[in-house]
Amino acid sequence: MNRLDGKVAIVTGTCRGIGHAIADALAREGAITVATGRSKTDEALGPRSAEVEYRQLDVASEEDWDSVVTETVERYGRIDVLVNNAGIIAYQGLHELTVPEWNRVVATNQTGTWLGMRAVIPHMVSQHGGSIINISSIWGSAAVAGAHAYHATKGAVRNMSKSAAISYAKDNVRVNSVHPGFIRTPLTDAQETTINDYVVSQTPMGRAGTPDEIANGVVFLASDEASFVTGSELVIDGGYLAQ
């Protein structure tokens, strides 16, 4: 039996990597899944489940959020799951990062997550139920040199999720964060290999994770199996934060 039958989900940052895997996993479990990304189309990014619809969405745009959420509610009558996955990183030193680059990271990782929650929560409150899963990171709790903007935003996502969980618990709207460790994706493949090798070397399981391993955790939090789970941090990191 599919674990998400009858649910309607929106996922951000789905054109590749973790977001792509999450959207497909939700669809396989029976959810009507609206996958979103900044690209006009994701046709060039490989096949995905037939149950997944794609919509263009810049998560930093209030207008884009209003459009996608309104269209989804008009078409399906509800929104049961939101996965705020879209994110970017900058590695410049604190004294080297420009204000425009800082603002770009904050707009995508932090403001985009806030805008997504703000857009869907009224609908979830009115239907007395919903699950919001915000993708943070192990680097929302721990730090490395040179990624301060990413740390700042992922730490914000971590605590913003807890605040939202407490605020809407009585409305049966659950809000949780997921904290991936080093995951092999096109984004990490484009990084310097020294960065990747270092993080893997610090991971007790001695390997990178896969997007599907993150998606499996998201499916659990989206499903009714997690009906008493809110305000939690689901760490999927091969043991990194246990040290």
Side-chain angles (χ1 to χ4, degrees), residues 60-121:
S61 166
E62 184 177 1
E63 292 76 17
D64 280 10
W65 272 113
D66 288 344
S67 177
V68 169
V69 169
T70 298
E71 179 184 347
T72 301
V73 172
E74 287 178 349
R75 187 168 183 180
Y76 300 111
R78 59 190 300 113
I79 297 173
D80 300 287
V81 179
L82 169 66
V83 184
N84 280 311
N85 166 75
I88 58 175
I89 194 167
Y91 283 113
Q92 292 95 323
L94 192 150
H95 66 291
E96 299 170 322
L97 192 71
T98 65
V99 170
E101 185 66 11
W102 167 270
N103 288 338
R104 188 174 78 93
V105 176
V106 171
T108 299
N109 298 0
Q110 183 173 335
T111 304
T113 297
W114 170 69
L115 285 172
M117 291 197 292
R118 193 184 70 163
V120 304
I121 281 175

Side-chain angles (χ1 to χ4, degrees), residues 8-66:
V8 178
I10 296 175
V11 187
T12 69
T14 67
C15 289
R16 54 181 60 82
I18 292 172
H20 194 286
I22 289 171
D24 279 355
L26 296 180
R28 284 195 303 270
E29 290 292 340
I32 296 169
T33 304
V34 180
T36 69
R38 294 187 67 180
S39 301
K40 291 183 178 180
T41 176
D42 67 347
E43 290 179 356
L45 299 170
R48 59 159 83 246
S49 301
E51 295 81 3
V52 176
E53 305 174 9
Y54 183 80
R55 297 289 183 273
Q56 186 176 20
L57 169 65
D58 177 353
V59 295
S61 166
E62 184 177 1
E63 292 76 17
D64 280 10
W65 272 113
D66 288 344

Side-chain angles (χ1 to χ4, degrees), residues 205-234:
M205 291 188 74
R207 67 170 177 86
T210 69
D212 286 339
E213 288 174 313
I214 306 305
N216 290 338
V218 171
V219 167
F220 166 69
L221 292 173
S223 76
D224 293 339
E225 296 168 9
S227 57
F228 199 53
V229 181
T230 196
S232 72
E233 303 170 36
L234 178 56

Side-chain angles (χ1 to χ4, degrees), residues 166-190:
I166 295 168
S167 299
Y168 298 100
K170 292 182 179 178
D171 298 298
N172 199 34
V173 177
R174 298 183 295 105
V175 186
N176 296 285
S177 57
V178 173
H179 298 254
F182 182 78
I183 308 300
R184 184 69 68 185
T185 68
L187 178 65
T188 57
D189 285 344

